Amino acid sequence: MNTFKVAALAGDGIGPEVMREAIKVLRAAEKKFAFRIEMTEAPVGWAGIDADGKALPDSTLALCKTSDAILFGSVGLPDRDPTIPREERPERAALLRIRKEFGLFANLRPVKLPKALAHACPLAKERQGDGIDILVVRELTGGMYFGQPKKTESIGVGDFRATDTMVYTTPEIERIAHVAFKAAQLRRKKVTSIDKANVLENGVLWRDVVTRTGKHYPGVQLEHQFVDNAAMQLVLRPAQFDVMLCENMFGDILSDEAAALGGSLGMLPSASLGAASGGKVFGFYEPAGGTAPDIAGKNLANPIAQILSGALMLRHSFDLNEAATAIENAVGKAIEQGNRTGDIFSPNEPGAKKIGTREMGDAIAAAI
Ligand code: IPM
Ligand code: MG
């Protein structure tokens, strides 16, 4: 039987409770499709700091290195200990570190508004067009997040200068562009590339390299949009988008905006992938929403983003397409049956039942 090693890092806030549901659903999928996941849990984020003094304990990193994939919850609690330096806080010391350490340059965030959740989309029905089904392909290891210099220096009494640097090279743009074009070939064959070529040098290079890379994919239509226009087009006419190709920070911003169109940030999974080696793709799978500390531990969080992240793991790292699709369909079925966590519930929707995190996980596991 196919066996895979997974590091399950639940992290902080709602991480542990949504992770529990994702594992439940993966176990249900294992029973139906012949594969086996050896799951090892380890602390990360504030949970790592509490357990071992570091947001990414050495033992957790070592576990990740011997695993086939990482299933990640979420990290970061803004209200905890402000005296800990920024570089040691979970967002940088765990999340950004893992992205860089494993070369996870390609972040895929699929946003799909299920028909049954049209009411949870903030846009009027007419604006939803034929439906919202967008794949945000975000570059994840370059741009402003990692560019050097990155520093804050004193320029006088009480005054500072903060510098972040946006840097991209041709090879970095090419490899993420290939990911977007390949993904589009399997979808509606359109890539909208996002940049700020009217102002940024980075934008000019981005547009050139993406245009050149696109020549290898004659079956895929390529369009360019400035990022400000793209932010507006998303709310005016989201149905025009198939694959949105973005550099790191633009992708961060636009993927949250797109997620809201998909009904809730609690429904947006993501896959962060490195280069394939030996036919295998090491991946890091996490919900795109945060730790939501305000609702943590209350059985209120929507576990769907975490569950769908598990499905992406089966598809991209383990080549278990059928099982991945079964999980996605089970989510669809649970929604059609009227199961709603608070974020997607509306009292005006006939047949909708407001349920908790655990019950949503049960409904999805049962639908497999
Ligand atoms: C995301 C998050 C992270 C990012 C934060 C938590 C560092 O917003 O994954 O979108 O900015 O990449
Ligand atoms: Mg973000």
Side-chain angles (χ1 to χ4, degrees), residues 91 95-96 99 109 138 145 252 286:
E91 290 84 345
L95 198 53
L96 299 190
R99 288 175 183 173
R109 297 187 166 180
R138 170 186 176 196
Y145 275 59
D252 177 43
E286 65 171 331

Side-chain angles (χ1 to χ4, degrees), residues 6 8 11 20 33 69 92 100 125 144 158 169-170 196 219 224 234 237 251 296 310 315 328 337 367:
V6 172
R20 196 183 53 224
F33 301 89
R92 292 199 199 182
K100 202 65 180 178
K125 262 264 172 52
M144 292 248 245
T169 60
T170 302
K196 188 74 184 168
H224 302 276
L234 261 177
R237 244 176 13 94
R315 174 170 299 122
E328 288 159 354
Q337 289 164 345

Side-chain angles (χ1 to χ4, degrees), residues 119-178:
H119 68 274
C121 176
L123 300 184
K125 262 264 172 52
E126 318 74 91
R127 292 220 185 271
Q128 296 174 18
D130 295 333
I132 298 172
D133 182 0
I134 302 171
L135 176 67
V136 179
V137 174
R138 170 186 176 196
E139 200 291 326
L140 205 60
T141 50
M144 292 248 245
Y145 275 59
F146 295 98
Q148 291 298 332
K150 189 178 193 73
K151 61 180 174 188
T152 303
E153 63 210 315
S154 170
I155 53 164
V157 181
D159 289 333
F160 297 89
R161 177 169 51 221
T163 308
D164 294 279
T165 308
M166 187 170 184
V167 199
Y168 272 106
T169 60
T170 302
E172 283 177 312
I173 302 170
E174 264 169 7
R175 65 181 180 176
I176 192 69
H178 280 295

Side-chain angles (χ1 to χ4, degrees), residues 116 330-340 349 351-353 363-364 366-367:
V331 167
K333 192 161 164 209
I335 289 172
E336 272 158 39
Q337 289 164 345
N339 296 295
R340 303 281 184 269
E349 192 197 348
K353 311 192 273 288
I364 294 166

Side-chain angles (χ1 to χ4, degrees), residues 20-272:
R20 196 183 53 224
E21 301 315 312
I23 293 175
K24 185 189 285 175
V25 170
L26 285 168
R27 293 293 180 219
E30 255 182 345
K31 284 206 192 99
K32 175 127 184 218
F33 301 89
F35 68 93
R36 169 93 197 127
I37 289 180
E38 269 171 32
M39 185 96 62
T40 311
E41 301 190 35
V44 73
W46 286 101
I49 293 173
D50 291 341
D52 205 29
K54 275 164 107 176
L56 182 61
D58 298 344
S59 53
T60 299
L61 181 60
L63 169 73
C64 293
K65 287 186 173 162
T66 57
S67 299
D68 299 310
I70 302 170
L71 187 60
F72 196 85
S74 49
V75 294
L77 298 170
D79 293 340
R80 282 230 14 206
D81 195 354
T83 65
I84 293 201
R86 285 192 290 279
E87 313 73 66
E88 291 170 28
R89 299 183 78 82
E91 290 84 345
R92 292 199 199 182
L95 198 53
L96 299 190
R97 164 108 195 269
I98 290 175
R99 288 175 183 173
K100 202 65 180 178
E101 178 91 31
F102 291 93
L104 306 172
F105 69 90
N107 182 226
L108 312 181
R109 297 187 166 180
V111 173
K112 197 166 180 172
L113 177 68
K115 285 259 175 311
L117 287 187
H119 68 274
C121 176
L123 300 184
K125 262 264 172 52
E126 318 74 91
R127 292 220 185 271
Q128 296 174 18
D130 295 333
I132 298 172
D133 182 0
I134 302 171
L135 176 67
V136 179
V137 174
R138 170 186 176 196
E139 200 291 326
L140 205 60
T141 50
M144 292 248 245
Y145 275 59
F146 295 98
Q148 291 298 332
K150 189 178 193 73
K151 61 180 174 188
T152 303
E153 63 210 315
S154 170
I155 53 164
V157 181
D159 289 333
F160 297 89
R161 177 169 51 221
T163 308
D164 294 279
T165 308
M166 187 170 184
V167 199
Y168 272 106
T169 60
T170 302
E172 283 177 312
I173 302 170
E174 264 169 7
R175 65 181 180 176
I176 192 69
H178 280 295
V179 171
F181 285 112
K182 289 200 171 107
Q185 283 178 324
L186 303 174
R187 297 173 45 99
R188 301 194 307 282
K189 301 186 175 49
K190 179 174 175 192
V191 170
T192 307
S193 175
I194 312 301
D195 63 51
K196 188 74 184 168
N198 49 349
V199 177
L200 301 178
E201 292 296 308
N202 271 273
V204 175
L205 183 65
W206 183 273
R207 194 171 281 222
D208 282 354
V209 175
V210 172
T211 303
R212 243 191 298 122
T213 310
K215 304 258 190 278
H216 299 284
Y217 302 87
V220 177
Q221 182 198 345
L222 171 63
E223 192 179 287
H224 302 276
Q225 278 183 15
F226 294 136
V227 62
D228 50 347
N229 181 35
M232 180 177 72
Q233 292 298 328
L234 261 177
V235 293
L236 290 181
R237 244 176 13 94
Q240 72 184 281
F241 295 108
D242 176 16
V243 174
M244 289 182 98
L245 168 60
C246 310
E247 66 85 40
N248 202 346
M249 193 164 73
F250 296 162
D252 177 43
I253 298 168
L254 294 179
S255 62
D256 268 27
E257 187 185 354
L261 303 181
S264 164
L265 196 50
M267 311 256 299
L268 180 61
S270 86
S272 304

